[in-house]
Amino acid sequence: MTEASKKAVENHKKGYNCAQAVACAFCDRTGRDEKEVFEIMEAFGFGMGTMGTCGAVSAMAAVVGMKESDGDLDSPGTKKKSYRAMKELTGRFREKNGSVICREIKGVDTGKVLRSCDGCVEDAAEILDEYLKEGR
């Protein structure tokens, strides 16, 4: 486990939802306030409250945006880079877990759980940590 994935799992065990657990584990590296990130990510847990896209995957997208965006409101130039990053990171997550959809990961319709929430949090944080260390 990486330090980021340990922090993410600790966050989850403290009661953070999957999205909050992952995104807040990277506040030191994104320069963001943890309370603010916690608040922003709240509705992304439980697959955005609908068991849709896994909250840990949503958190990867949020962190990629925080790291990659040029913040240029008049002429944004970094969207394609962020989209490429998420295509790659989502692919890595899907490869490890069989899906990026909370309902499928939890086996709601099949009875076959693909991964625990702690496992998804750990995987998302590790994938994100690797991406950030690669310095893209």
Side-chain angles (χ1 to χ4, degrees), residues 3 12 35 49 51 67 88 126 133:
E3 287 303 312
H12 195 247
K35 185 175 187 279
M51 295 195 87
K67 289 299 286 181
E88 177 186 333
E126 284 183 0
K133 284 180 180 174

Side-chain angles (χ1 to χ4, degrees), residues 96-117:
K96 281 186 142 189
N97 297 294
S99 180
V100 296
I101 305 300
C102 179
R103 181 178 195 87
E104 294 172 3
I105 295 167
K106 302 316 306 163
V108 172
D109 300 317
T110 64
K112 181 183 176 197
V113 176
L114 302 177
R115 191 79 161 121
S116 68
C117 290

Side-chain angles (χ1 to χ4, degrees), residues 15-129:
Y16 292 30
N17 70 35
C18 296
Q20 292 166 323
V22 174
C24 288
F26 289 89
C27 285
D28 59 334
R29 291 164 71 182
T30 60
R32 307 299 170 130
D33 176 72
E34 186 169 353
K35 185 175 187 279
E36 185 175 11
V37 170
F38 182 91
E39 292 169 345
I40 291 167
M41 298 309 298
E42 188 159 289
F44 289 91
F46 195 63
M48 290 188 254
T50 65
M51 295 195 87
T53 300
C54 170
V57 173
S58 295
M60 288 194 303
V63 173
V64 165
M66 286 185 257
K67 289 299 286 181
E68 301 296 357
S69 178
D70 59 15
D72 187 336
L73 301 179
D74 295 320
S75 183
T78 52
K79 290 185 289 187
K80 287 182 182 178
K81 183 176 183 179
S82 292
Y83 300 161
R84 277 192 303 274
M86 278 313 297
K87 183 176 181 179
E88 177 186 333
L89 300 182
T90 301
R92 288 186 197 179
F93 187 91
R94 184 179 291 111
E95 188 175 300
K96 281 186 142 189
N97 297 294
S99 180
V100 296
I101 305 300
C102 179
R103 181 178 195 87
E104 294 172 3
I105 295 167
K106 302 316 306 163
V108 172
D109 300 317
T110 64
K112 181 183 176 197
V113 176
L114 302 177
R115 191 79 161 121
S116 68
C117 290
D118 278 349
C120 288
V121 164
E122 179 183 341
D123 291 344
E126 284 183 0
I127 291 166
L128 198 49
D129 193 47

